[in-house]
Amino acid sequence: MNALKWVKIWFALSCLIPLTGIFNYAIDPYGFNNKILINNINRVKEDNTPFTIKYKAPKIREGGWDNLMLGTSRIGLMDSQVVDNYLGGKTFTFSQPGSAMPIQFDSFKYALKFNQIKNLIYGIDFMTFNKNLKLNVDYIQYKDELQSFGHFYTHDIYINVNTLKKSLRTLQNNLSEQPELNPFYSENGMRNFPNFKQQLANNSLDMSANINKHIQKYFKKDGIYGNYAYSPEYMEMFKKIVTYCHKNGINLYVYISPVYAEHFYAIKAAGLKPEFERFKRELVKATDFIDFTGVSSVTVNKDNFWDSSHLRKEHTDMIMAKLLLRDDTMPPSDFGIRVTQENIEQHLQDQGSQYQAINLQEILAINYE
């Protein structure tokens, strides 16, 4: 009798697992296949940004990409179509949110393996060179596949109880009168924040709270800048990318992503100004770059950002026009300074006079729960 019972259980499970996989594949809550899209069923997806490498690597592996955008999530929000318009061809955004240099270095090599990249647009960031920055969980999980140029399979996404829960949530969400929108990656790797746009349209977006929460994420004791220590080894990785581009005829465009003015002020308040300046001094030894940090007509306006460090997509052209056309006269005139070894010290001196005192401890102590 017990044996028969276990046979029935085994048979039920053997039927349930493939049915679960088929259901999850059809609903596709994370948008990995987008084979079936039905209004009020599954058109609005769940957040797939926690699957950065697993989602992006197969798409870059397909090949056919001419331009590569690399860096953290700050460049991930920039509109790749704008880059297409300036440079021609197709642009893929292989950004890695909050990532240290080893992740970006391996992503660069993986992209080169399967594509004839002509242009590299690199949104470099201070955080990337913190040797104490924790490596992203998905990078730790898929590091071997990335470094060995392996395949990334998605079948485990569908035969998964957690995905089943997300599929059911997707159905419920799509059936509501006003589905809740979520962040997601596009087919070209670009990150989108329709949730913020929805809140903006509903007059429920609290930008001050968004900015403060993001400053907390960076500057709290265990945050992205926590225990910051500049890594010469990470800079050597970046220099290898620069050298490869020069030797192989890849046009290289480097910029430091803008941050909201209070985020900039907080760098000094947190005692990180010396390391911030060291990062820029070492960076310019490798390549000229455009620095969009500091105080400008753009960075003092919170409505240009989604939080303290993510410029809104619609302002992509302000970055790319100045960067890709190499025209320093492009407006706004106070946004973006081309930095070379000849003007680096003057630039740092000019920025040093822009800092304002803020109560960082008060911001860090705000409780939003």
Side-chain angles (χ1 to χ4, degrees):
M1 188 70 176
N2 286 337
L4 181 59
K5 177 182 177 182
W6 283 112
V7 168
K8 290 180 178 179
I9 292 174
W10 176 87
F11 180 76
L13 289 175
S14 65
C15 293
L16 185 60
I17 291 174
L19 288 175
T20 298
I22 292 170
F23 177 72
N24 285 337
Y25 187 85
I27 298 299
D28 188 28
Y30 301 119
F32 268 80
N33 65 70
N34 284 323
K35 300 292 185 183
I36 304 171
L37 292 175
I38 304 174
N39 290 335
N40 303 122
I41 298 294
N42 71 339
R43 190 168 290 277
V44 177
K45 303 293 186 180
E46 296 293 302
D47 183 354
N48 64 10
T49 59
F51 303 97
T52 299
I53 293 177
K54 196 175 185 68
Y55 181 85
K56 292 188 178 185
K59 298 187 182 304
I60 195 76
R61 187 187 174 90
E62 291 174 0
W65 302 99
D66 306 289
N67 314 310
L68 181 68
M69 297 175 75
L70 198 64
T72 65
S73 60
R74 296 176 185 179
I75 194 173
L77 267 68
M78 296 292 93
D79 190 347
S80 58
Q81 182 61 54
V82 173
V83 177
D84 292 349
N85 293 340
Y86 277 111
L87 298 179
K90 292 175 55 183
T91 304
F92 190 85
T93 305
F94 209 4
S95 57
Q96 306 288 343
S99 56
M101 180 51 67
I103 305 175
Q104 298 177 23
F105 185 70
D106 287 345
S107 298
F108 174 70
K109 291 191 294 183
Y110 195 89
L112 289 180
K113 179 70 174 178
F114 305 103
N115 299 271
Q116 296 295 320
I117 299 298
K118 301 180 182 66
N119 301 285
L120 173 61
I121 302 91
Y122 209 132
I124 205 77
D125 287 305
F126 179 48
M127 74 181 88
T128 296
F129 297 90
N130 180 7
K131 70 179 181 181
N132 293 320
L133 179 61
K134 294 179 181 178
L135 297 176
N136 298 8
V137 173
D138 66 331
Y139 173 72
I140 294 173
Q141 184 178 1
Y142 299 113
K143 179 179 177 180
D144 290 342
E145 288 90 338
L146 202 62
Q147 293 182 339
S148 65
F149 310 113
H151 286 275
F152 287 81
Y153 300 101
T154 58
H155 59 269
D156 57 322
I157 288 286
Y158 300 111
I159 307 174
N160 187 296
V161 174
N162 288 328
T163 304
L164 177 60
K165 293 177 182 178
K166 291 293 185 179
S167 292
L168 294 173
R169 186 188 182 284
T170 298
L171 276 172
Q172 182 182 19
N173 187 38
N174 277 265
L175 286 169
S176 66
E177 291 185 5
Q178 187 176 10
E180 177 184 338
L181 304 182
N182 300 290
F184 69 93
Y185 288 129
S186 301
E187 292 288 320
N188 60 9
M190 197 184 92
R191 190 173 186 174
N192 301 270
F193 278 158
N195 52 320
F196 286 154
K197 291 184 177 180
Q198 185 179 52
Q199 293 170 26
L200 189 63
N202 294 338
N203 295 316
S204 60
L205 181 67
D206 189 337
M207 275 303 303
S208 294
N210 273 9
I211 288 168
N212 286 338
K213 286 178 183 178
H214 216 66
I215 289 176
Q216 290 169 348
K217 179 180 178 181
Y218 276 86
F219 292 93
K220 63 184 180 180
K221 187 175 181 180
D222 59 345
I224 291 174
Y225 294 150
N227 195 26
Y228 192 99
Y230 170 79
S231 171
E233 293 79 13
Y234 286 3
M235 184 56 74
E236 286 302 314
M237 290 183 184
F238 176 73
K239 288 179 179 178
K240 288 180 180 179
I241 292 176
V242 174
T243 300
Y244 184 93
C245 289
H246 290 334
K247 286 185 176 179
N248 292 275
I250 298 175
N251 299 312
L252 177 63
Y253 306 89
V254 179
Y255 72 96
I256 302 179
S257 303
V259 294
Y260 180 58
E262 281 196 3
H263 188 118
F264 175 73
Y265 302 149
I267 288 174
K268 183 177 181 180
L272 292 173
K273 181 173 176 283
E275 292 283 47
F276 192 43
E277 293 181 342
R278 180 184 180 185
F279 150 65
K280 293 181 181 181
R281 286 190 177 100
E282 294 300 319
L283 181 64
V284 81
K285 292 177 184 178
T287 182
D288 296 353
F289 61 88
I290 296 184
D291 188 359
F292 289 101
T293 64
V295 178
S296 68
S297 56
V298 175
T299 61
V300 296
N301 185 351
K302 67 177 63 176
D303 291 335
N304 289 328
F305 294 82
W306 288 125
D307 48 46
S308 76
S309 69
H310 289 103
L311 191 71
R312 298 186 187 183
K313 169 187 171 182
E314 55 265 32
H315 302 310
T316 300
D317 199 58
M318 287 195 297
I319 298 282
M320 296 305 161
K322 189 163 289 192
L323 180 71
L324 302 180
L325 296 180
R326 301 189 190 276
D327 184 353
D328 297 339
T329 65
M330 296 292 292
S333 60
D334 64 344
F335 181 57
I337 303 299
R338 186 172 299 279
V339 181
T340 67
Q341 293 192 55
E342 288 70 37
N343 74 348
I344 178 66
E345 293 306 323
Q346 183 62 53
H347 173 62
L348 294 178
Q349 183 179 332
D350 292 344
Q351 282 201 333
S353 66
Q354 295 177 347
Y355 287 99
Q356 296 182 21
I358 61 169
N359 191 335
L360 181 58
Q361 295 307 313
E362 181 180 346
I363 294 175
L364 297 181
I366 295 174
N367 187 349
Y368 290 95
E369 295 180 359

